[in-house]
């Protein structure tokens, strides 16, 4: 099911972080925050295997490698933006509800 | 992170299946397809704990229990619809790319 592709928190935030253009691995880790380099590498590999992200290596000294959205990856920009807007608007309400539910079950 | 709430394939398809109105557990399993009753129960419990889905029990004979979106859950309708449309339009391209990538790595 294609929905599985984006059924990963890190995939969603990685795709979102790439919407402003290609970035290096280290910059991407900083943009995302709270992701280990290993998990980011795995996430990028999976997104590449699904044709959503491409790795671009430039023959410079020192060599430069950047990750960017493919044409197919860019088709996800709008759905991802909607999700991110939703999380920004309603995230707090969900977290508050979740905490209240946990408190109630502790009693 | 609020994005984690919907970072589950089953959460996304369950929320989508509820957009047309409340349904019973068994109907929901049929609407979704390919989900075990256990996984569906766990998914519904998590969505309830996050305030996105509510369980409504009716004092009838036999007793009737339905699951429906809460007001907060309905705020996810548009992002989920966008995702689902995306999966419908681009899912095949992603799957094709993925298979080609696997074939290439088998060689």
């Amino acid at each position: 099911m294609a929905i599985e592709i984006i059924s990963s928190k890190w995939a969603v935030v990685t795709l979102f972080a790439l919407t402003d253009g290609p970035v290096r691995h280290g910059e991407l880790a900083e943009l995302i925050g709270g992701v280990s380099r290993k998990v980011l590498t795995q996430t990028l590999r999976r997104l590449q295997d699904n044709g959503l992200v491409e790795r671009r290596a430039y023959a410079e000294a020192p060599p430069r490698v950047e990750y960017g959205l493919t044409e197919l990856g860019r088709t996800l920009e709008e759905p991802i933006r909607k999700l991110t807007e939703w999380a920004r608007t309603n995230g707090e309400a969900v977290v508050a509800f979740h905490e209240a539910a946990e408190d109630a079950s502790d009693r």
Side-chain angles (χ1 to χ4, degrees), chain A:
Chain A
M1 207 175 329
I3 213 87
E4 287 180 55
I5 297 143
I6 37 131
S7 290
S8 139
K9 178 182 74 173
W10 294 121
V12 172
V13 296
T14 301
L15 290 166
F16 185 67
L18 293 175
T19 52
D20 285 337
V23 286
R24 295 175 204 214
H25 196 284
E27 291 172 293
L28 194 52
E30 264 178 55
L31 270 173
I32 294 172
V35 66
S36 70
R37 297 194 73 121
K38 190 183 158 200
V39 168
L40 181 56
T41 299
Q42 286 167 347
T43 304
L44 284 168
R45 193 163 304 148
R46 209 159 37 232
L47 291 170
Q48 286 174 81
D49 283 348
N50 288 327
L52 300 170
V53 163
E54 61 190 356
R55 182 181 183 279
R56 296 164 201 166
Y58 299 90
E60 296 172 359
R64 183 161 59 102
V65 175
E66 288 184 343
Y67 295 87
L69 297 179
T70 61
E71 205 176 315
L72 186 58
R74 275 193 296 270
T75 62
L76 258 172
E77 272 185 23
E78 203 203 340
I80 297 257
R81 204 181 48 241
K82 289 278 175 206
L83 272 184
T84 310
E85 276 167 17
W86 176 84
R88 203 157 28 207
T89 310
N90 300 287
E92 244 173 85
V94 172
V95 170
F97 191 98
H98 187 80
E99 282 169 1
E102 281 192 332
D103 285 353
S105 70
D106 284 350
R107 251 173 247 137

